[in-house]
Amino acid sequence: MNSDSHSTTLHKISAAINITSPESSNNILISLKADDSPSTLLDDTTDLVLQIIFLVILALICGLFGTVANVINIVIFIKQGLFSGGSTLNLFFLAIADLGVCFTQFLHGIGFAVIVARIPNLPIEPFSIIYLGIGWPHVIFIKINRILTAYVTFERCMCVVIPFRVKNIFAPRRTLIYLVAIFAYGILSHLPVYLTHYIDDVEQKGTNETKLDLVFGPNREFWHDLVYYGNFLALSFITALVVIVCTVITSTYVRTSKEWRNKVTSATNISKTDNIGNENVETSNNKNKLKSDKTNNSDRNDKKMTKAAIDKETRLVKMITAISVIFCICYIPDVALIIVRSVDERINTGGQYERLSHILYATTFVAATVNSSINIFVYYRMSTKFRQIFLSYFGNGKDKE
């Protein structure tokens, strides 16, 4: 979400409920009234109600549920063993990013609730905390989530398509380095934001009082555009493309491989049956017959072990695919907003339909939080080990499936 639009949205709500935002002659601060950018689509009341629904109620509900769900995910992944294989380490770090998205969204909802409640005599403008302390961290965790989703999808794609060639590339210790680097990049790439935004004492408009409020430093617009357009927005498109392409390749390859294995297995069974029949006809030696039976039993056990390994890999691929599909669906509001804004400039900050753009931005926030909240259902449904550990904590310890 564009943080400028985010900040504008906060001030629009403040203005709608008669809360004025400070303005300093020495610093760039945003201060808008509700009728600065009249909209022909939404009136004051509708605008306020919709923003409360999306940015308070849904933010609190989705944020709280996602926070609890991802704490559970993290605990279960630790219980499974982070280096036990099967992408557990990847999913553990993804759960941490999801937790960050959901928890900041929950705090986001609390911040908006404070603004709507009009609590008097606060020593600091709530907007400052929401924008700098919650809004940008929320964006950072969304970005990390998208990079991790792309990485997990790419890693699984490579392991399925060329498993022997990439075995060392995605070894556990190297994977840990990759994941930590993704988190470090997501945080450090937003450092310019915190070098050009800060909180300081600001004289309140119309009074002689000072209050802690957000101040924009020099070159703030340049760094903001660099971080948002050159970093967050461009990277979001790249990660979405990687997720879609890798998911299609992985699903196609797994389906084709499964069909091929079924044909080979069927042909092998027919061949072995014919050979055994001929052998039994040609020999009457009981010792050879027992040896043949022993060999057949060994072959059946090997096939069972191979089938179990294949089934486990297939379930893992299906689980990663499900995560990727959910990611793509929840990314649709972002894509739609970008397209709509590029086609109609009125749906933008300062445009005729600015209020509508704020609701659309709020929708992208909620969609991102939903994406980070519902993976627990995917893990429970598609991972036997996850389900068993979950039931040991919250159920009767028995897996009915």
Side-chain angles (χ1 to χ4, degrees), residues 1 11 29 31 157 178 181 216 237-238 300 302 363 367 399:
M1 175 179 178
H11 280 285
L29 286 172
S31 181
C157 179
Y178 301 152
F216 295 150
F237 273 112
I238 294 173
R300 282 195 293 268
D302 290 342
T363 303
D399 189 356

Side-chain angles (χ1 to χ4, degrees), residues 87-91 93-94 143-159 166-183 238-240 242-244 246 250 320 324 327:
S87 292
T88 302
L89 186 62
N90 295 340
L91 297 178
F93 274 82
L94 183 60
K143 175 181 173 180
I144 294 175
N145 168 272
R146 290 176 178 174
I147 299 176
L148 284 174
T149 303
Y151 170 79
V152 170
T153 310
F154 175 77
E155 182 261 356
R156 190 44 41 187
C157 179
M158 293 296 99
C159 289
V166 301
K167 184 177 181 180
N168 292 330
I169 297 177
F170 295 110
R173 292 185 181 277
R174 290 187 178 183
T175 296
L176 180 61
I177 294 174
Y178 301 152
L179 297 172
V180 172
I182 289 173
F183 266 83
I238 294 173
T239 54
V242 171
V243 169
I244 293 173
C246 289
T250 303
I320 300 300
S324 302
F327 169 84

Side-chain angles (χ1 to χ4, degrees), residues 307-372:
K307 186 177 183 303
I310 293 173
D311 290 343
K312 182 179 179 181
E313 177 66 22
T314 302
R315 286 196 302 270
L316 178 58
V317 169
K318 288 182 177 179
M319 185 170 68
I320 300 300
T321 300
I323 294 173
S324 302
V325 170
I326 293 172
F327 169 84
C328 292
I329 293 174
C330 292
Y331 188 65
I332 290 176
D334 262 331
V335 176
L337 178 60
I338 293 170
I339 294 175
V340 168
R341 288 184 60 191
S342 63
V343 173
D344 192 342
E345 294 182 354
R346 294 176 297 176
I347 306 178
N348 208 330
T349 302
Q352 183 180 358
Y353 301 147
E354 182 178 25
R355 292 175 180 174
L356 176 60
S357 74
H358 295 158
I359 301 303
L360 295 176
Y361 272 118
T363 303
T364 65
F365 258 36
V366 173
T369 307
V370 170
N371 172 63
S372 295

Side-chain angles (χ1 to χ4, degrees), residues 128-144:
S128 305
I129 298 297
I130 298 174
Y131 178 79
L132 198 57
I134 301 174
W136 271 109
H138 186 66
V139 170
I140 291 172
F141 280 114
I142 290 176
K143 175 181 173 180
I144 294 175

Side-chain angles (χ1 to χ4, degrees), residues 2 14 20 35 102 126 191 242 355:
N2 189 325
S14 298
T20 59
D35 58 352
C102 295
L191 186 60
V242 171
R355 292 175 180 174

Side-chain angles (χ1 to χ4, degrees), residues 60-74:
L60 289 173
I61 294 174
C62 295
L64 180 60
F65 173 79
T67 299
V68 174
N70 282 292
V71 169
I72 294 174
N73 290 341
I74 291 171

Side-chain angles (χ1 to χ4, degrees), residues 21-290:
S21 299
E23 188 172 34
S24 172
S25 58
N26 298 324
N27 301 289
I28 304 174
L29 286 172
I30 299 175
S31 181
L32 298 173
K33 296 180 180 179
D35 58 352
D36 282 345
S37 302
S39 172
T40 58
L41 297 179
L42 300 174
D43 57 29
D44 290 352
T45 303
T46 303
D47 180 46
L48 179 60
V49 169
L50 288 176
Q51 293 194 59
I52 290 175
I53 291 174
F54 279 97
L55 297 175
V56 178
I57 299 175
L58 290 180
L60 289 173
I61 294 174
C62 295
L64 180 60
F65 173 79
T67 299
V68 174
N70 282 292
V71 169
I72 294 174
N73 290 341
I74 291 171
V75 171
I76 292 179
F77 288 141
I78 293 175
K79 187 72 174 178
Q80 284 185 222
L82 298 182
F83 295 95
S84 61
S87 292
T88 302
L89 186 62
N90 295 340
L91 297 178
F92 170 76
F93 274 82
L94 183 60
I96 293 176
D98 286 338
L99 176 62
V101 172
C102 295
F103 185 63
T104 52
Q105 179 74 322
F106 178 69
L107 296 178
H108 199 271
I110 293 177
F112 267 96
V114 170
I115 291 179
V116 173
R118 293 184 289 181
I119 300 176
N121 301 323
L122 291 176
I124 188 172
E125 281 293 328
F127 158 72
S128 305
I129 298 297
I130 298 174
Y131 178 79
L132 198 57
I134 301 174
W136 271 109
H138 186 66
V139 170
I140 291 172
F141 280 114
I142 290 176
K143 175 181 173 180
I144 294 175
N145 168 272
R146 290 176 178 174
I147 299 176
L148 284 174
T149 303
Y151 170 79
V152 170
T153 310
F154 175 77
E155 182 261 356
R156 190 44 41 187
C157 179
M158 293 296 99
C159 289
V160 169
V161 177
I162 47 175
F164 300 108
R165 296 182 183 179
V166 301
K167 184 177 181 180
N168 292 330
I169 297 177
F170 295 110
R173 292 185 181 277
R174 290 187 178 183
T175 296
L176 180 61
I177 294 174
Y178 301 152
L179 297 172
V180 172
I182 289 173
F183 266 83
Y185 169 74
I187 295 172
L188 295 178
S189 62
H190 289 79
L191 186 60
V193 172
Y194 289 92
L195 296 178
T196 55
H197 299 68
Y198 57 96
I199 296 176
D200 199 359
D201 288 327
V202 176
E203 184 177 345
Q204 303 301 291
K205 187 177 181 180
T207 67
N208 293 325
E209 298 179 353
T210 60
K211 184 180 292 189
L212 292 175
D213 203 346
L214 182 66
V215 176
F216 295 150
N219 300 321
R220 172 254 172 189
E221 292 185 3
F222 168 79
W223 288 111
H224 172 274
D225 291 345
L226 180 64
V227 169
Y228 181 72
Y229 294 104
N231 187 0
F232 179 78
L233 195 60
L235 198 60
S236 295
F237 273 112
I238 294 173
T239 54
L241 182 62
V242 171
V243 169
I244 293 173
V245 172
C246 289
T247 300
V248 172
I249 293 175
T250 303
S251 300
T252 303
Y253 189 88
V254 168
R255 184 171 62 254
T256 303
S257 299
K258 186 176 181 180
E259 292 174 355
W260 177 81
R261 282 195 299 266
N262 289 337
K263 290 180 181 179
V264 172
T265 302
S266 178
T268 302
N269 289 338
I270 294 174
S271 176
K272 286 186 176 181
T273 301
D274 292 341
N275 291 335
I276 293 171
N278 293 332
E279 182 180 357
N280 289 336
V281 170
E282 294 174 357
T283 181
S284 58
N285 191 313
N286 293 331
K287 183 177 180 180
N288 290 339
K289 185 177 179 181
L290 292 174

